[in-house]
Amino acid sequence: PLASSEPDKKDFAFDLIPSYLVENTIVEKSYSADNPGDFAGGVVKINTIDFPSNTLFRFSYGTSFIPGSTTKSFSGYEGGNSDYLGIDDGTRELPENFPQSMQGLTSSEDSTYNLAKLFTNKWKTIDSKAPLNQAFALAYGDNFSLFNQSFGLIFSANYKTEQASADIESNQPVDGTDYLYEYSGKNFNRNVNWGLLFNLSYKISDLHKIGFKNTYTVNSDDEVIQLFGNQYDRNNYQQSTALRFVSRELYSGQFAGQSFFPSLLNLKADYSLFYSESLRDEPDYRRYSYGRDLQDTEEPLRILLSLLPNLREGGRYYSDLSEVSRGTKIDLNWDFELVKFKFGCLYEKRSISFI
C-alpha cells in the first residue's frame, strides 16, 4: 500500500516505470485474501523484473509539440532555483519570524501590517515563449553472481517537463437567463514529472528469494491563471491573477521475500515490510484582483482587498499535507489441482498531517 500525495484520492505516476523493466501487471477487480482490507474498486500490481537475463542499458530522449501552446506566448513568474526539479527551494515559504497563529495579535505589536512586510513582494508575471516539451529516460539492469546465486540490480531514472496553456471560461447562471458572473482567460501550466527506481534482488536458493525495492517520484504544477470578466452581483469589471505552485513527492520502499515449501503441501509464502511517505506542498498561492465600475469604462482599475480571507480577492494561501504509511504483510497460498487456498495478514499504520 502506498501513501497518497492528494488529500481525496490515490495517485501514482505509472508511466515513470519503463515498460521494458516490467515483468507483468496484474489488475484485480474482485477481492481475495491477499489484497488489503480497504480494497475498493480494484488493485493494480506492477511487478518489475528481478533478475535480468542480460545486461540492460538504455537511454532515450523525446520531445513534443502542443499546438496553440508551444512557441506561443507563455506567462510565468519569478520562482525558486530548484523549480526545474519540481521542488521549492524555500523561496515561497512563510517568513522565518511569522507566528504560528494570528489569534491574539494586537494593533500595537506584531500587527498584520508589520507581518505583511515580512513577505516577498513578487506579484509580477513574466511573458516568454513556451519551448518544446522535453523527456529523458535512463535505465540499467544486470544479473551478478553472489555466493553462486543470482543477484539482480535494476535502476531507472526519468524526467519530463511540459508547458501548456488552455483557455478558461467560468460563469454561474441565475434563473437560466442572467449570470452572477462571467469570466474568460488563460491557464498557463509548467509541469515537472520525474522519478527514480532502484531494486535489489537475491536468490538465496531455488526455493527462496528476497528483494529490496524503492521508488521516488516528484510531480509539480507551476501555474499562472488570468481571468477577465464581469462580476454582476458587485456591478464590477474585474481582472484577476493567481500564481500557484504545487509540489508532490512520494517515496515507497519495501523489503520483500518469497519462499516455496514443497514439504508443506506446496506452500508458497510472500512476505514484506513496507514504508511509504508522501508530501504535498502548496506554498504561497498568491491571488490579486483589480476592478472598476461596470458602466464606467474610463474609471481606472483599483486593487480589490478584503479584511477577511477569501478566494475572490487578494490573498496568500499556504498548505502542507504529509502522509506516512508503514507496516508488514504475509500471504500464504496452497495450490492444489482443483482448489486454491489463500490466507493473508496485513498490519498497516497511517499518520496524516495537514497544515
Side-chain angles (χ1 to χ4, degrees):
L2 294 177
S4 176
S5 58
E6 293 292 344
D8 56 356
K9 64 180 180 180
K10 297 287 187 180
D11 69 307
F12 181 76
F14 291 101
D15 57 339
L16 292 178
I17 303 178
S19 59
Y20 45 82
L21 295 182
V22 176
E23 184 174 18
N24 58 61
T25 301
I26 302 173
V27 179
E28 298 184 358
K29 301 192 71 175
S30 58
Y31 182 77
S32 62
D34 54 352
N35 285 324
D38 59 356
F39 171 93
V43 172
V44 178
K45 299 179 181 178
I46 299 180
N47 297 310
T48 56
I49 298 172
D50 291 328
F51 306 100
S53 56
N54 299 298
T55 301
L56 171 71
F57 181 82
R58 292 193 183 187
F59 174 79
S60 63
Y61 165 76
T63 185
S64 62
F65 178 94
I66 301 178
S69 296
T70 307
T71 72
K72 304 298 182 181
S73 179
F74 189 91
S75 290
Y77 62 95
E78 183 180 350
N81 294 325
S82 61
D83 286 1
Y84 70 98
L85 292 175
I87 301 173
D88 181 59
D89 63 355
T91 299
R92 303 174 178 86
E93 292 299 320
L94 279 168
E96 183 178 355
N97 298 323
F98 199 84
Q100 293 293 321
S101 174
M102 298 289 289
Q103 295 181 355
L105 296 180
T106 64
S107 57
S108 59
E109 61 179 20
D110 294 334
S111 68
T112 54
Y113 172 75
N114 292 325
L115 291 174
K117 294 194 295 183
L118 298 176
F119 290 86
T120 57
N121 193 26
K122 297 179 180 179
W123 301 85
K124 181 181 178 181
T125 59
I126 301 172
D127 291 334
S128 61
K129 298 293 184 181
L132 291 170
N133 302 322
Q134 313 288 326
F136 304 86
L138 173 69
Y140 170 74
D142 212 340
N143 192 355
F144 307 94
S145 178
L146 181 65
F147 303 117
N148 296 321
Q149 294 293 339
S150 294
F151 177 79
L153 180 151
I154 286 179
F155 171 79
S156 173
N158 298 268
Y159 179 87
K160 296 192 300 181
T161 180
E162 177 182 289
Q163 291 187 215
S165 60
D167 294 327
I168 302 175
E169 288 191 4
S170 177
N171 57 69
Q172 182 175 338
V174 178
D175 298 330
T177 55
D178 297 327
Y179 288 88
L180 187 64
Y181 58 79
E182 285 184 294
Y183 289 97
S184 62
K186 300 278 287 187
N187 181 308
F188 303 92
N189 183 32
R190 181 175 185 263
N191 176 262
V192 174
N193 194 352
W194 64 275
L196 300 172
L197 181 147
F198 181 66
N199 292 349
L200 299 174
S201 302
Y202 182 63
K203 184 179 290 187
I204 301 174
S205 68
D206 291 339
L207 301 179
H208 308 279
K209 67 177 182 178
I210 56 176
F212 181 49
K213 301 183 178 182
N214 302 269
T215 59
Y216 175 71
T217 63
V218 175
N219 190 329
S220 74
D221 291 297
D222 198 359
E223 295 179 286
V224 171
I225 304 169
Q226 297 175 328
L227 290 174
F228 309 87
N230 301 326
Q231 190 76 36
Y232 296 113
D233 61 334
R234 295 186 175 187
N235 198 37
N236 271 354
Y237 167 80
Q238 294 186 194
Q239 297 180 4
S240 300
T241 302
L243 313 177
R244 188 185 188 202
F245 179 85
V246 180
S247 177
R248 311 167 189 86
E249 300 176 61
L250 175 62
Y251 167 76
S252 173
Q254 65 171 327
F255 175 81
Q258 185 180 87
S259 297
F260 185 67
F261 303 95
S263 59
L264 299 177
L265 302 177
N266 293 327
L267 168 65
K268 186 180 78 169
D270 296 280
Y271 47 90
S272 67
L273 297 170
F274 58 85
Y275 176 90
S276 68
E277 181 175 1
S278 70
L279 301 172
R280 184 186 187 275
D281 186 26
E282 186 174 355
D284 204 4
Y285 173 24
R286 284 157 279 177
R287 307 172 308 281
Y288 58 93
S289 298
Y290 291 89
R292 59 164 171 79
D293 187 83
L294 191 58
Q295 282 74 35
D296 190 355
T297 58
E298 300 298 325
E299 179 186 353
L301 294 170
R302 62 187 185 279
I303 189 71
L304 302 177
L305 296 174
S306 174
L307 296 177
L308 298 176
N310 67 76
L311 296 175
R312 298 172 60 180
E313 297 175 353
R316 308 178 90 136
Y317 171 81
Y318 294 79
S319 72
D320 184 79
L321 171 69
S322 63
E323 179 180 347
V324 175
S325 173
R326 51 199 174 275
T328 182
K329 65 174 294 188
I330 182 170
D331 299 321
L332 304 178
N333 294 268
W334 287 273
D335 191 356
F336 302 103
E337 292 185 3
L338 301 178
V339 180
K340 288 184 178 181
F341 290 99
K342 291 185 177 182
F343 176 81
C345 292
L346 181 145
Y347 170 78
E348 180 182 13
K349 182 178 181 181
R350 289 178 181 262
S351 57
I352 301 175
S353 171
F354 181 74
I355 301 174

